[in-house]
């Protein structure tokens, strides 16, 4: 099994890539200014954002391969495995990287909000593809962060650097929202497959063996990361993926309630609930009445 080495600091990454370390907790790298890169896989203990302008080998993220496209942003969070396989051939990448240690944002507004930038948990195949204008904005953001890093460190450095990183991530959030909109046909296909997945889940009896369908199960079945899947469903329907699943669950329950000689306990079991009272609680929460009341009203 291939050994996966660790990158736990900005300096470690800079040393590997051949870049100077001007700040111990953050670095902006222009790949045009560094030597060629060969195959590597690293466990990342730092945040990293990569902008690649040209194809520079097959990137892997976890176990998923991905070919870079022009103007692609990929986000890596601490705890993830990242790598580029250049097939043993030295390649000259073009683009930028932003590397920052969790300690940089500890105690800041960004540190408290970093989990809101869910794209750090997307799969690499769910990367952000930029328009020419968006790419110019991203490069400008990198350059502004770099200018602050190049300054002598003073009491304002951390505030200004972190503020610029937060602004950069907010631009990324905006561009991802645009990507969800412009890929409407792909998204609707996923939504249709999601509905069919739930239909099959209940028809096939999987609920009785696997329990209630979860967001993670549905995302994995559709070959998406849970965060990307959840964000996509929210953008398409206005509801969370969990709300969507629960609404489909209630629709199924309403049909079963009117099946002859079927008890509420049997319905709860068939839908994947461990306990009947959990079924009753969810049904009332979603409809305003208990299953028995619904049965008598109709």
């Amino acid at each position: 099994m291939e050994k996966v080495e660790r990158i736990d600091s900005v300096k470690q990454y800079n040393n590997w890539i051949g870049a100077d370390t001007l700040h111990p907790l953050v670095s902006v790298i222009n790949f045009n200014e560094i030597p060629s890169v060969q195959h590597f896989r690293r466990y990342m203990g730092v945040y990293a954002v990569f902008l690649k302008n040209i194809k520079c080998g097959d990137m892997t993220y976890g176990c998923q391969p991905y070919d870079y496209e022009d103007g692609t942003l990929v986000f890596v969070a601490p705890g993830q495995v990242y790598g580029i396989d250049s097939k043993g051939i030295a390649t000259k990448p073009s683009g930028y990287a932003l590397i920052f240690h969790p300690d940089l944002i500890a105690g800041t507004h960004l540190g408290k909000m970093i989990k809101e930038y869910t794209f750090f948990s997307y799969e690499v195949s769910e990367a952000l593809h930029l328009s020419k204008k968006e790419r110019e904005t991203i490069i400008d953001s990198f350059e502004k962060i770099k200018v602050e890093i190049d300054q002598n460190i003073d009491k304002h450095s951390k505030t200004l650097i972190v503020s610029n990183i937060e602004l950069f991530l907010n631009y990324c959030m905006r561009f991802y929202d645009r990507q969800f909109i412009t890929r409407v046909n792909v998204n609707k296909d996923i939504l249709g497959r999601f509905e069919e997945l739930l239909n099959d889940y209940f028809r096939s009896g999987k609920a009785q063996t696997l329990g209630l369908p979860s967001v993670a199960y549905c995302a994995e079945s559709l070959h998406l990361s849970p965060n990307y899947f959840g964000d996509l469903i929210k953008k398409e329907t206005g509801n969370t993926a969990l709300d969507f699943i629960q609404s489909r669950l209630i629709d199924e329950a309403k049909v079963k309630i009117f099946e002859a000689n079927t008890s509420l306990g049997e319905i709860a079991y068939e839908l994947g609930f461990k306990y009947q009272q959990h079924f009753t609680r969810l049904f009332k929460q979603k409809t305003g009445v208990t299953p028995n009341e619904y049965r008598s009203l109709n």
Side-chain angles (χ1 to χ4, degrees):
M1 187 175 182
E2 182 184 9
K3 181 182 178 182
V4 178
E5 297 183 16
R6 298 178 64 99
I7 295 289
D8 288 314
S9 69
V10 170
K11 184 174 177 59
Q12 274 184 297
Y13 184 86
N14 286 343
N15 287 346
W16 174 80
I17 206 77
D20 294 332
T21 300
L22 303 178
H23 191 292
L25 298 178
V26 60
S27 180
V28 171
I29 297 157
N30 184 338
F31 285 118
N32 293 318
E33 300 172 356
I34 61 145
S36 301
V37 178
Q38 290 191 34
H39 168 75
F40 76 96
R41 272 173 70 82
R42 297 288 188 273
Y43 169 92
M44 301 293 280
V46 294
Y47 288 95
V49 184
F50 298 98
L51 169 64
K52 296 298 182 180
N53 296 329
I54 59 172
K55 291 186 177 181
C56 61
D58 295 336
M59 177 175 174
T60 59
Y61 180 99
C63 299
Q64 294 294 322
Y66 177 70
D67 290 331
Y68 278 124
E69 295 182 11
D70 292 348
T72 297
L73 273 178
V74 175
F75 302 83
V76 181
Q80 296 170 351
V81 175
Y82 160 87
I84 292 176
D85 186 357
S86 56
K87 308 293 191 273
I89 301 171
T91 59
K92 187 70 174 70
S94 173
Y96 286 79
L98 166 65
I99 313 293
F100 62 97
H101 195 278
D103 287 353
L104 178 72
I105 61 174
T108 68
H109 180 263
L110 178 57
K112 297 173 184 176
M113 301 299 293
I114 192 69
K115 297 299 182 184
E116 300 297 315
Y117 299 99
T118 50
F119 43 74
F120 274 108
S121 296
Y122 289 176
E123 293 292 340
V124 78
S125 57
E126 300 153 356
L128 176 58
H129 306 294
L130 302 171
S131 69
K132 182 177 180 181
K133 187 174 181 180
E134 290 169 348
R135 185 172 132 195
E136 290 172 356
T137 299
I138 293 302
I139 291 176
D140 182 61
S141 295
F142 280 136
E143 290 294 347
K144 286 178 178 174
I145 297 168
K146 190 173 187 299
V147 166
E148 284 302 325
I149 295 171
D150 289 344
Q151 303 287 334
N152 291 328
I153 297 177
D154 59 28
K155 66 179 182 179
H156 302 288
S157 297
K158 178 175 178 176
T159 299
L160 291 169
I161 290 170
V162 173
S163 295
N164 275 288
I165 292 175
E166 187 166 8
L167 178 61
F168 161 73
L169 294 177
N170 286 334
Y171 276 123
C172 294
M173 188 84 79
R174 167 188 278 180
F175 299 155
Y176 254 118
D177 283 349
R178 184 272 310 157
Q179 182 163 292
F180 279 122
I181 293 170
T182 56
R183 300 186 69 190
V184 62
N185 290 334
V186 174
N187 297 346
K188 287 191 182 302
D189 176 61
I190 291 172
L191 186 58
R193 287 162 53 206
F194 181 28
E195 291 175 338
E196 184 54 37
L197 174 68
L198 292 175
N199 289 338
D200 176 72
Y201 196 89
F202 295 117
R203 281 198 306 260
S204 64
K206 288 180 181 176
Q208 297 171 36
T209 55
L210 300 179
L212 296 171
S214 66
V215 174
Y217 170 87
C218 293
E220 183 179 0
S221 298
L222 296 170
H223 308 292
L224 298 170
S225 67
N227 276 356
Y228 185 88
F229 173 64
D231 289 346
L232 186 152
I233 297 301
K234 179 73 172 177
K235 294 291 190 303
E236 282 295 308
T237 68
N239 295 315
T240 67
L242 180 59
D243 285 337
F244 192 96
I245 291 171
Q246 290 179 341
S247 294
R248 181 66 187 82
L249 196 65
I250 296 304
D251 289 341
E252 193 74 16
K254 287 177 178 178
V255 173
K256 291 182 178 295
I257 282 173
F258 294 107
E259 291 178 356
N261 302 319
T262 305
S263 70
L264 295 185
E266 289 171 325
I267 294 172
Y269 170 72
E270 290 175 5
L271 293 175
F273 288 90
K274 282 187 176 181
Y275 305 104
Q276 180 185 325
Q277 56 265 41
H278 292 173
F279 164 58
T280 300
R281 187 184 305 128
L282 179 65
F283 193 93
K284 185 171 184 179
Q285 177 188 331
K286 294 295 183 180
T287 67
V289 295
T290 67
N292 272 330
E293 290 170 339
Y294 183 81
R295 178 177 271 168
S296 64
L297 287 171
N298 294 272

